Amino acid sequence: MSSTRDRILEIALDLFSQYGYSAVSIRDICGYVNIKESSLYYHFTNKQAILDEIINKFEANASLLMTRLEKSLSISFDYSDFNSFEDVCVYFFEEYLMDDYCNKVMRLLIIEQFNNEETRKIYDEWMFDKPLRFFAKVFFVLSDMDVIKNNDSAALAVRFYSPIFMYATRWLLSGELTEERKSVFQESAYKHMNKLFIDIVRI
């Protein structure tokens, strides 16, 4: 059974991801948690403290994911095998873009990037900078091992990630995150992934 603190964070994230941080009040959160405002302030000094904890947890989870992906490149990555490239992509899709917690935080960041400069920086970092750097590294390794023909790893990362970002924005980050929408995203993303690998692999 979750604690009151956990429940506050859970409800706050649900509301922030639907309406944005700025549009949700402490009173709104307390109403959904069914507690008095004084009870909330026992756990958090203000609404910003709630947001900070949500973002900190997200960044910790996302950093752990990226660390695992980085390690997979040096430990278990079979550079001649498409399945290894696919495994990396699947892990990124399933554990990051389709993860319930990460997905809600990304929705929150999309809304609040227009209201807060710090939030916009976090959004840029986790939706663009880090994924592009990681996949550039994947393609650099593949190029270095002479598995693919193109040695412009940064350009390949953009070529790979741009449609993924579009599919994620359309199917995962707008509207209710249903199994049907996840399925449509997966079909589109994996089709693109397969096509790209066929186009760039060295025969």
Side-chain angles (χ1 to χ4, degrees):
M1 185 176 180
S2 62
S3 67
T4 300
R5 181 185 179 86
D6 292 338
R7 184 67 176 152
I8 291 169
L9 290 168
E10 179 186 351
I11 291 297
L13 179 55
D14 282 343
L15 294 174
F16 294 163
S17 67
Q18 293 179 63
Y19 308 109
Y21 170 80
S22 303
V24 176
S25 68
I26 287 290
R27 180 175 295 179
D28 293 329
I29 297 170
C30 291
Y32 278 91
V33 180
N34 197 25
I35 58 173
K36 296 180 179 178
E37 290 188 34
S38 58
S39 297
L40 184 144
Y41 288 124
Y42 174 79
H43 298 283
F44 298 97
T45 54
N46 51 35
K47 189 172 71 163
Q48 182 63 47
I50 298 173
L51 177 64
D52 290 344
E53 184 150 339
I54 288 171
I55 296 296
N56 288 341
K57 180 182 175 182
F58 164 74
E59 291 194 301
N61 291 348
S63 294
L64 181 60
L65 168 75
M66 289 297 176
T67 299
R68 288 174 177 167
L69 287 172
E70 294 273 355
K71 286 182 178 179
S72 73
L73 294 182
S74 58
I75 296 174
S76 61
F77 202 72
D78 182 348
Y79 303 106
S80 63
D81 185 5
F82 169 72
N83 288 331
S84 293
F85 175 70
E86 183 180 32
D87 288 344
V88 168
C89 296
V90 169
Y91 194 71
F92 179 79
F93 298 158
E94 306 285 340
E95 301 298 325
Y96 185 55
L97 296 178
M98 288 192 287
D99 174 76
D100 185 61
Y101 188 87
C102 289
N103 185 273
K104 286 179 181 178
V105 174
M106 284 185 274
R107 288 167 181 257
L108 158 63
L109 295 175
I110 288 172
I111 298 169
E112 284 304 310
Q113 65 173 313
F114 302 108
N115 300 318
N116 183 288
E117 178 65 16
E118 185 59 32
T119 303
R120 186 193 63 76
K121 290 178 181 178
I122 296 171
Y123 172 76
D124 284 349
E125 180 180 12
W126 288 104
M127 285 303 293
F128 298 105
D129 297 341
K130 286 184 181 289
L132 285 171
R133 281 200 301 268
F134 171 74
F135 283 107
K137 182 174 289 188
V138 171
F139 291 119
F140 174 81
V141 169
L142 291 172
S143 176
D144 193 50
M145 298 298 293
D146 207 31
V147 174
I148 60 177
K149 294 174 283 189
N150 191 327
N151 62 1
D152 189 341
S153 57
L156 282 174
V158 172
R159 182 178 168 187
F160 169 75
Y161 187 64
S162 295
I164 299 302
F165 175 77
M166 181 190 72
Y167 298 142
T169 301
R170 181 176 184 184
W171 299 112
L172 303 180
L173 299 172
S174 62
E176 185 182 355
L177 185 62
T178 62
E179 291 304 315
E180 181 180 1
R181 294 178 74 86
K182 288 181 183 180
S183 179
V184 174
F185 167 79
Q186 289 168 319
E187 181 180 357
S188 302
Y190 294 141
K191 182 178 180 179
H192 163 65
M193 176 189 68
N194 281 276
K195 173 84 165 52
L196 176 65
F197 198 82
I198 290 171
D199 288 346
I200 66 176
V201 70
R202 187 180 296 280
I203 305 300

